[in-house]
Amino acid sequence: MTAPTTATDVNQPSLEHAPKAGRRLSLPVLMLIIAGALALTSIVRLITGADGITNVSQMSTALQLAVPIGLAGLGGLWAERAGVVNIGLEGMMILGTWFGAWAGFQWGPWTGVLVGLIGGCLGGLLHAIVTVTFNVNHIVSGVAINILALGATRYLAPLAFEGHQGGSAKQSPAVESLGHFTVPGLSDWLTDLNAKGWFFVSDIAGLLGGLVTNVSWLTLIAVALIPGTWWILWRTPFGLRLRSCGENPVAAESLGVNVYKYKYLAVIISGGLAGLGGVFLSIVANPFYLEGQTSGRGYIGLAAMIFGNWMPGGLAIGAGLFGYTDSLNLRGGSTNVHALLLLGALLLVIGAIWLAIRKKYVQAAVTLVVGALVFAWYAGTNEVPSQVVAATPYVVTLVVLALSAQRLRMPKADGMPYRKGQGK
């Protein structure tokens, strides 16, 4: 009989215990890809004259729209890294919007932030009880939470908001602003540089200008949560234990990890982050709660998380992409989307060349044909219908997920039922 292998201390992160990740891009390669995409966008801007696609106001709006998507995606990442699929992010965001506005108009915006976060945590706690303790299918539980959150807020809104100035059955009274900040000097300089229309340099100035102009304090917190999540989950013993629950909970249990505890913590944190995204919508993006305010952003956050391959950095890029396409609805949508048709055609041609180099000739031919059709659409029209502009964020979501599907690697035990002691 073979003697059992001695387990080293699970408190120490090591390559032996860390799950093997999928192939990842190094930081220099990733920065090179981003720079290339920005240069290509600059070329399209110069050809089409659509200066709005990279100006400061466009980027500032994109950042504001990306924050709730990114927070929802971070919530999904925490839950799924512990092995729990969280389709209920939309419902937890809804709870965050309602609780944040309800507390915010009575006791101030920062109280609203805290209460909205707690509201999302309650949704996460419910999801954890149902999935972790009672082993209900994660998808079923998440869908049920989405329906329950929508119904509960519809019932509570008239009771809480009617009779107050500016309140109604579907809208809360106005909430005081959290405040914004602009980096003095730097913001004006970047705005002036962006206005010059220079190749690449002005586009970088527009991107950076959007990050330092009229930024909410809650945006700053949300951005800080990206590296914070990475550090906690990949550089601490707590994060190692939590991720082990999503890769192999039986092995984690054999090393002394309380799998139930870590799954509960992860899902509650997940709900809190989604709730914080809801708070952003009802206090920062709009200074009031409004029924239907989330508009599916919880699902798009889940898509951003998948696009990012369950990693915080990739998630941030995905959220930024979806936020940018969503911002096209608000600022010169038809003109900008028409210009981006040319960008899409160029990207498809580059993709076809890359596939051909890798000897995937059939895929390369299909990609090239699609690129030619997109270019024909661009060349044969001067604008795109408003319906296409409105659908752009969702179309981009589907296209990006389809193109990135081949490189994805989800946690091995994600969504799988687990019972304590099942490995004995």
Side-chain angles (χ1 to χ4, degrees):
M1 182 174 178
T2 305
T5 303
T6 303
T8 55
D9 187 3
V10 75
N11 293 322
Q12 299 300 320
S14 68
L15 292 176
E16 288 183 296
H17 299 124
K20 292 182 180 180
R23 188 178 180 183
R24 298 175 193 161
L25 294 174
S26 64
L27 182 60
V29 173
L30 181 61
M31 296 302 293
L32 187 62
I33 291 173
I34 293 173
L38 193 58
L40 199 61
T41 304
S42 184
I43 293 172
V44 169
R45 175 181 62 80
L46 292 173
I47 292 173
T48 62
D51 294 334
I53 61 176
T54 57
N55 66 22
V56 171
S57 60
Q58 182 78 55
M59 295 304 180
S60 180
T61 302
L63 176 63
Q64 181 171 297
L65 292 170
V67 167
I69 294 172
L71 286 170
L74 271 183
L77 186 148
W78 273 85
E80 298 206 12
R81 279 294 176 180
V84 180
V85 176
N86 193 355
I87 298 293
L89 291 169
E90 179 78 4
M92 296 167 197
M93 286 189 79
I94 292 172
L95 292 174
T97 60
W98 190 90
F99 279 100
W102 171 71
F105 89 87
Q106 297 183 87
W107 303 300
W110 286 109
T111 303
V113 170
L114 178 61
V115 174
L117 188 149
I118 293 172
C121 287
L122 292 176
L125 176 61
L126 177 60
H127 188 50
I129 292 171
V130 173
T131 57
V132 179
T133 301
F134 294 102
N135 253 348
V136 173
N137 181 278
H138 299 189
I139 306 297
V140 173
S141 172
V143 172
I145 286 174
N146 291 339
I147 297 171
L148 180 62
L150 182 60
T153 52
R154 280 182 175 175
Y155 172 76
L156 292 171
L159 300 177
F161 302 142
E162 283 186 339
H164 294 277
Q165 184 178 1
S168 68
K170 296 185 176 182
Q171 180 178 316
S172 74
V175 181
E176 184 182 345
S177 173
L178 286 171
H180 296 76
F181 72 91
T182 296
V183 179
L186 179 61
S187 174
D188 293 335
W189 178 69
L190 289 172
T191 301
D192 292 340
L193 189 59
N194 175 247
K196 294 183 182 298
W198 293 340
F199 170 72
F200 194 64
V201 175
S202 291
D203 302 286
I204 293 178
L207 176 62
L208 297 178
L211 302 178
V212 297
T213 304
N214 202 30
V215 179
S216 166
W217 292 107
L218 192 55
T219 299
L220 195 63
I221 293 171
V223 171
L225 285 171
I226 300 290
T229 291
W230 173 83
W231 184 80
I232 291 171
L233 292 183
W234 275 269
R235 287 295 182 269
T236 66
F238 171 83
L240 176 64
R241 297 190 199 104
L242 188 146
R243 288 186 294 114
S244 71
C245 296
E247 294 292 339
N248 194 331
V250 174
E253 181 187 339
S254 71
L255 293 171
V257 175
N258 187 334
V259 176
Y260 279 4
K261 181 182 79 172
Y262 280 93
K263 284 181 178 286
Y264 261 85
L265 285 172
V267 181
I268 291 171
I269 292 170
S270 172
L273 289 167
L276 196 60
V279 168
F280 188 92
L281 291 173
S282 62
I283 294 182
V284 178
N286 296 296
F288 49 81
Y289 161 82
L290 186 65
E291 186 177 305
Q293 200 164 25
T294 55
S295 299
R297 286 180 175 86
Y299 300 111
I300 298 179
L302 200 62
M305 177 205 69
I306 296 170
F307 165 78
N309 206 11
W310 288 265
M311 294 292 293
L315 182 157
I317 294 173
L321 174 63
F322 300 140
Y324 176 75
T325 55
D326 201 12
S327 70
L328 298 175
N329 288 321
L330 302 179
R331 295 185 177 276
S334 180
T335 302
N336 291 340
V337 172
H338 184 260
L340 291 181
L341 288 176
L342 178 58
L343 177 62
L346 292 174
L347 289 173
L348 286 168
V349 170
I350 293 171
I353 294 171
W354 172 248
L355 289 170
I357 291 173
R358 299 181 66 187
K359 298 182 179 180
K360 297 182 179 180
Y361 299 115
V362 175
Q363 296 95 320
V366 172
T367 304
L368 188 60
V369 169
V370 174
L373 292 174
V374 173
F375 179 77
W377 185 7
Y378 165 77
T381 59
N382 293 320
E383 60 180 19
V384 294
S386 59
Q387 295 87 345
V388 174
V389 177
T392 297
Y394 308 101
V395 173
V396 169
T397 301
L398 293 173
V399 171
V400 165
L401 288 179
L403 294 176
S404 62
Q406 299 301 316
R407 66 174 182 82
L408 299 180
R409 182 206 175 277
M410 66 190 297
K412 290 182 179 178
D414 193 16
M416 296 176 61
Y418 165 79
R419 286 291 186 191
K420 186 176 181 180
Q422 70 181 32
K424 295 180 181 179

